[in-house]
Structure formats: structure tokens, C-alpha cells
Amino acid sequence: MAPQPELLGIHHITAMCGDPQANVDFYCRVLGLRLVKVTINYDDPGTYHLYYGDGLGRPGSLFTTFPWPSSYRGTPGLGQVETVAYSVPRGAQGFWKERLTTKGIPFSANLNALNESVLSLTDPDGMSVEIIESAYDGRSAAAWDGLGDDVAIRGFHSAALASARPNESAIFLTDTLGFREIYNDGETIRFEVGEGGAGTFIDIIDRPGRDFGRMGGGTVHHIAFRTENDQVSENWRQVISANGRQVTPIVERNYFRSVYFREPGGVLYELATDPPGMTYNEPLEELGTSLMLPPWLEERREEIESVLPTFTSPTGVRFP
Ligand code: ZN
């Protein structure tokens, strides 16, 4: 039995990528997201950690990447989030088709199993991205890059999991994490949590015979779900641990605090607190304009900057 309060939906999704410039150009100049934080991987300070989000950098819109310019490409497969789907308002697909065409990004348009209008494309590292028109998105828009609120990405729509054990993954979502199954055609099972709707959907895709994924550029490293605060995360930690899963202590990530655990199908999950958020150490208008280091790495700034590759942000800031 899940404790109250419930999880609030997707907090962020983190992937590996190659060239940081190509990554920034795609997520900002094609998808119209805002570069809301430039920091480094706290567990590997020679690597950037880039955050993209809506104009306010809200949880539920945060896609983050670890760029490894010389890294090999990964292979998507079992044990990973396979597709990252964004939500756009009803009627916005015409705009997005035109924008993708103008920017030379190949895509296909179709209806998915749940009869939603989907544009399918890949990011520069080959990761599967979808733009989905959703009638079930109660979020306000915080558009960026000159996009209108009537077309801009609202945040995530869903994430599709390629579980190695779909049945166990489904039971873990419902019985341990408190998700609700809302659709099941034998191949796709959709779940929602909290208030439900876009931004809370998780799809489990059952494709027998697939291979396990291999981590590398173009693959998702983990998906995080939102909690209100540390106490709620701690309560969930105990529930997950009581369910027999290894779970980390709460880890300080500056912009949120996190616990990590692997679900039964092999996908790495995280719970991340909404507070303090992206404005923890930069004012809203300056998000993503400076290389932010955690206090414990500030004294190594020169050394860290000397190994980070260069890229230019959409607002013209040259990093590092
Ligand atoms: Zn994370």
C-alpha cells in the first residue's frame, strides 16, 4: 500500500549524449526548450551536466544530459527508458511539423496505440523523442525561445520503458509506487500517478525478444519522479526498501535531493524533491548563463574548466 502523499509525476529524465554543441542546438533551437543549468556531473566533474526545461525550469520539464564528446554510442534496449515524449497543446502539431521540416529534422507522424497524434524523431545522438498532442495536460505554459504558449512544449508527456520484466515492472509501479494502470492492450500499458495526465504517464512496452540496452550516447540513464520534500522522499525510501529493493540514502544534488533504486525490469529510477529547484543559485532571468559548480568543487574550478569542451549557448554564452 502506497503511503500518502503520492508521487507527483516525472521530475526529470537524464540521458548520455555526445557533442554538447549538437545537444544544446537540438534541445534549445529545435525543441524550443531553455538551457536552464550548466553544471558538471557531481560524480564525474570532468563532464558537463546540462539541464533543459521550460521557461521557468520547472520539474516535469527537465531533460538533462551528460555529454561525452568522444563517447561511443549506446544501444537502446531492455532495462532502459526507450522514448522520451513531450507534451504540446491540441492543435500544435501543424506548427511542429513545419518547424521540424524547416530545421531539417526528419520525423514521422502517426497515431499511437492510445490514439494520440505523435511526431516521432531522434535527437542528434539517436535517442527516440516524441512530440505528442495531449488533451490531458493541465499545466500552464512557460514558453521560451519566442514560441507561443499555444504551441510550446509544456513539459514531458510520458516516458516509455523497455522493461526486461514487464509484468514485474507494472506491479512495482502500481503496488509499490502507487501508479494507476489506465490502458492496456497487451503490448503497451500506460500508468499515471498523482493528479494524472501528461507529465505523469509511464508506458511499459512489452517487446519480447529484444536485447538489453547498452549505456552510451543516445540512451537514457535514469528517470526521476517528483516528491514534495525530503520527508516524503524518506517515507518512499522506506517503502521501497521494505519491498526488497536496494535504495540509496538521500543524495544532495543542490537543485533537488535524490534517492536512487532499480525497478524490477532493470530501469534506474530516482525520486527527486521539487525544492529548491533551478533558481537555488541563479536568479530566474540568469538561469543557464554561467557554469555552476557545487560548493565542494568550487576550489577546483580552474582545473575543471580546463578539461571541459567548449560550446556556445543559444544566448551567446561561450562555455566553459
Ligand atoms: Zn537524476
Side-chain angles (χ1 to χ4, degrees), residues 12-14 49 64 222-224 253 256 258 260 270 272:
H12 66 267
I13 298 174
T14 295
H49 193 183
T64 91
H222 65 267
I223 178 169
R253 295 302 187 200
F256 41 84
S258 300
Y260 301 86
E270 172 183 348

PDB file of all heavy atoms in Angstrom, residues 12-14 49 64 222-224 253 256 258 260 270 272, ligand 1:
ATOM      1  N   HIS A  12      12.550  14.616 -13.742  1.00  0.00           N
ATOM      2  CA  HIS A  12      13.497  14.825 -14.838  1.00  0.00           C
ATOM      3  C   HIS A  12      13.875  13.487 -15.449  1.00  0.00           C
ATOM      4  O   HIS A  12      13.616  12.434 -14.879  1.00  0.00           O
ATOM      5  CB  HIS A  12      14.752  15.597 -14.386  1.00  0.00           C
ATOM      6  CG  HIS A  12      15.616  14.847 -13.408  1.00  0.00           C
ATOM      7  ND1 HIS A  12      15.483  14.977 -12.034  1.00  0.00           N
ATOM      8  CD2 HIS A  12      16.633  13.973 -13.591  1.00  0.00           C
ATOM      9  CE1 HIS A  12      16.384  14.218 -11.435  1.00  0.00           C
ATOM     10  NE2 HIS A  12      17.100  13.586 -12.358  1.00  0.00           N
ATOM     11  N   ILE A  13      14.440  13.563 -16.637  1.00  0.00           N
ATOM     12  CA  ILE A  13      14.960  12.383 -17.323  1.00  0.00           C
ATOM     13  C   ILE A  13      16.378  12.729 -17.743  1.00  0.00           C
ATOM     14  O   ILE A  13      16.631  13.837 -18.234  1.00  0.00           O
ATOM     15  CB  ILE A  13      14.096  12.017 -18.553  1.00  0.00           C
ATOM     16  CG1 ILE A  13      12.670  11.674 -18.110  1.00  0.00           C
ATOM     17  CG2 ILE A  13      14.715  10.859 -19.338  1.00  0.00           C
ATOM     18  CD1 ILE A  13      11.690  11.430 -19.259  1.00  0.00           C
ATOM     19  N   THR A  14      17.302  11.805 -17.514  1.00  0.00           N
ATOM     20  CA  THR A  14      18.718  12.069 -17.771  1.00  0.00           C
ATOM     21  C   THR A  14      19.274  11.070 -18.778  1.00  0.00           C
ATOM     22  O   THR A  14      19.068   9.866 -18.636  1.00  0.00           O
ATOM     23  CB  THR A  14      19.515  12.001 -16.453  1.00  0.00           C
ATOM     24  OG1 THR A  14      19.074  13.058 -15.595  1.00  0.00           O
ATOM     25  CG2 THR A  14      21.012  12.148 -16.699  1.00  0.00           C
ATOM     26  N   HIS A  49      27.010  18.634 -16.937  1.00  0.00           N
ATOM     27  CA  HIS A  49      25.636  18.181 -16.753  1.00  0.00           C
ATOM     28  C   HIS A  49      24.760  19.342 -17.214  1.00  0.00           C
ATOM     29  O   HIS A  49      24.751  20.398 -16.582  1.00  0.00           O
ATOM     30  CB  HIS A  49      25.373  17.814 -15.289  1.00  0.00           C
ATOM     31  CG  HIS A  49      24.092  17.056 -15.091  1.00  0.00           C
ATOM     32  ND1 HIS A  49      23.644  16.683 -13.848  1.00  0.00           N
ATOM     33  CD2 HIS A  49      23.180  16.597 -15.983  1.00  0.00           C
ATOM     34  CE1 HIS A  49      22.489  16.029 -13.993  1.00  0.00           C
ATOM     35  NE2 HIS A  49      22.186  15.971 -15.267  1.00  0.00           N
ATOM     36  N   THR A  64      17.932  16.265 -18.842  1.00  0.00           N
ATOM     37  CA  THR A  64      19.330  16.582 -18.537  1.00  0.00           C
ATOM     38  C   THR A  64      20.247  15.600 -19.260  1.00  0.00           C
ATOM     39  O   THR A  64      19.871  14.460 -19.523  1.00  0.00           O
ATOM     40  CB  THR A  64      19.605  16.555 -17.013  1.00  0.00           C
ATOM     41  OG1 THR A  64      20.031  15.254 -16.595  1.00  0.00           O
ATOM     42  CG2 THR A  64      18.381  16.968 -16.196  1.00  0.00           C
ATOM     43  N   HIS A 222      18.572   7.443 -16.528  1.00  0.00           N
ATOM     44  CA  HIS A 222      17.566   7.194 -15.483  1.00  0.00           C
ATOM     45  C   HIS A 222      16.399   8.157 -15.628  1.00  0.00           C
ATOM     46  O   HIS A 222      16.477   9.150 -16.360  1.00  0.00           O
ATOM     47  CB  HIS A 222      18.188   7.325 -14.086  1.00  0.00           C
ATOM     48  CG  HIS A 222      18.672   8.701 -13.751  1.00  0.00           C
ATOM     49  ND1 HIS A 222      19.972   9.109 -13.961  1.00  0.00           N
ATOM     50  CD2 HIS A 222      18.031   9.780 -13.233  1.00  0.00           C
ATOM     51  CE1 HIS A 222      20.108  10.360 -13.573  1.00  0.00           C
ATOM     52  NE2 HIS A 222      18.943  10.809 -13.131  1.00  0.00           N
ATOM     53  N   ILE A 223      15.332   7.860 -14.917  1.00  0.00           N
ATOM     54  CA  ILE A 223      14.166   8.744 -14.856  1.00  0.00           C
ATOM     55  C   ILE A 223      13.847   9.023 -13.393  1.00  0.00           C
ATOM     56  O   ILE A 223      13.917   8.112 -12.561  1.00  0.00           O
ATOM     57  CB  ILE A 223      12.953   8.130 -15.592  1.00  0.00           C
ATOM     58  CG1 ILE A 223      11.729   9.056 -15.483  1.00  0.00           C
ATOM     59  CG2 ILE A 223      12.617   6.723 -15.083  1.00  0.00           C
ATOM     60  CD1 ILE A 223      10.573   8.658 -16.394  1.00  0.00           C
ATOM     61  N   ALA A 224      13.546  10.288 -13.105  1.00  0.00           N
ATOM     62  CA  ALA A 224      13.259  10.692 -11.722  1.00  0.00           C
ATOM     63  C   ALA A 224      11.803  11.102 -11.587  1.00  0.00           C
ATOM     64  O   ALA A 224      11.227  11.715 -12.495  1.00  0.00           O
ATOM     65  CB  ALA A 224      14.158  11.857 -11.323  1.00  0.00           C
ATOM     66  N   ARG A 253      21.815  16.958  -4.434  1.00  0.00           N
ATOM     67  CA  ARG A 253      22.045  17.357  -5.824  1.00  0.00           C
ATOM     68  C   ARG A 253      21.888  18.860  -5.997  1.00  0.00           C
ATOM     69  O   ARG A 253      21.707  19.340  -7.117  1.00  0.00           O
ATOM     70  CB  ARG A 253      21.088  16.603  -6.762  1.00  0.00           C
ATOM     71  CG  ARG A 253      21.310  15.092  -6.803  1.00  0.00           C
ATOM     72  CD  ARG A 253      22.706  14.725  -7.223  1.00  0.00           C
ATOM     73  NE  ARG A 253      22.903  13.297  -7.433  1.00  0.00           N
ATOM     74  CZ  ARG A 253      24.097  12.720  -7.432  1.00  0.00           C
ATOM     75  NH1 ARG A 253      25.192  13.425  -7.213  1.00  0.00           N
ATOM     76  NH2 ARG A 253      24.209  11.425  -7.646  1.00  0.00           N
ATOM     77  N   PHE A 256      17.884  19.675  -6.105  1.00  0.00           N
ATOM     78  CA  PHE A 256      16.908  18.732  -5.532  1.00  0.00           C
ATOM     79  C   PHE A 256      17.724  17.732  -4.734  1.00  0.00           C
ATOM     80  O   PHE A 256      18.947  17.736  -4.786  1.00  0.00           O
ATOM     81  CB  PHE A 256      16.085  18.040  -6.623  1.00  0.00           C
ATOM     82  CG  PHE A 256      16.870  17.623  -7.838  1.00  0.00           C
ATOM     83  CD1 PHE A 256      17.567  16.431  -7.878  1.00  0.00           C
ATOM     84  CD2 PHE A 256      16.929  18.463  -8.960  1.00  0.00           C
ATOM     85  CE1 PHE A 256      18.302  16.065  -8.996  1.00  0.00           C
ATOM     86  CE2 PHE A 256      17.661  18.095 -10.086  1.00  0.00           C
ATOM     87  CZ  PHE A 256      18.346  16.893 -10.104  1.00  0.00           C
ATOM     88  N   SER A 258      17.928  13.507  -3.840  1.00  0.00           N
ATOM     89  CA  SER A 258      17.568  12.329  -4.630  1.00  0.00           C
ATOM     90  C   SER A 258      17.811  11.031  -3.905  1.00  0.00           C
ATOM     91  O   SER A 258      18.744  10.924  -3.100  1.00  0.00           O
ATOM     92  CB  SER A 258      18.405  12.313  -5.908  1.00  0.00           C
ATOM     93  OG  SER A 258      18.163  13.489  -6.659  1.00  0.00           O
ATOM     94  N   TYR A 260      17.993   6.823  -5.255  1.00  0.00           N
ATOM     95  CA  TYR A 260      18.071   6.019  -6.479  1.00  0.00           C
ATOM     96  C   TYR A 260      17.813   4.550  -6.166  1.00  0.00           C
ATOM     97  O   TYR A 260      18.232   4.050  -5.116  1.00  0.00           O
ATOM     98  CB  TYR A 260      19.467   6.139  -7.118  1.00  0.00           C
ATOM     99  CG  TYR A 260      19.856   7.538  -7.478  1.00  0.00           C
ATOM    100  CD1 TYR A 260      20.454   8.375  -6.528  1.00  0.00           C
ATOM    101  CD2 TYR A 260      19.645   8.044  -8.755  1.00  0.00           C
ATOM    102  CE1 TYR A 260      20.813   9.673  -6.850  1.00  0.00           C
ATOM    103  CE2 TYR A 260      20.002   9.338  -9.088  1.00  0.00           C
ATOM    104  CZ  TYR A 260      20.585  10.148  -8.125  1.00  0.00           C
ATOM    105  OH  TYR A 260      20.947  11.441  -8.446  1.00  0.00           O
ATOM    106  N   GLU A 270      14.760   7.283  -9.886  1.00  0.00           N
ATOM    107  CA  GLU A 270      15.199   8.245  -8.872  1.00  0.00           C
ATOM    108  C   GLU A 270      13.947   8.931  -8.343  1.00  0.00           C
ATOM    109  O   GLU A 270      12.976   9.101  -9.087  1.00  0.00           O
ATOM    110  CB  GLU A 270      16.128   9.277  -9.549  1.00  0.00           C
ATOM    111  CG  GLU A 270      16.523  10.467  -8.686  1.00  0.00           C
ATOM    112  CD  GLU A 270      17.392  11.481  -9.469  1.00  0.00           C
ATOM    113  OE1 GLU A 270      17.861  11.157 -10.585  1.00  0.00           O
ATOM    114  OE2 GLU A 270      17.559  12.594  -8.959  1.00  0.00           O
ATOM    115  N   ALA A 272      13.134  12.635  -6.765  1.00  0.00           N
ATOM    116  CA  ALA A 272      13.800  13.934  -6.604  1.00  0.00           C
ATOM    117  C   ALA A 272      12.793  14.933  -6.037  1.00  0.00           C
ATOM    118  O   ALA A 272      11.637  14.970  -6.463  1.00  0.00           O
ATOM    119  CB  ALA A 272      14.337  14.427  -7.946  1.00  0.00           C
TER     120      ALA A 272
HETATM  121 ZN    ZN B   1      18.634  12.381 -11.896  1.00  0.00          ZN
END
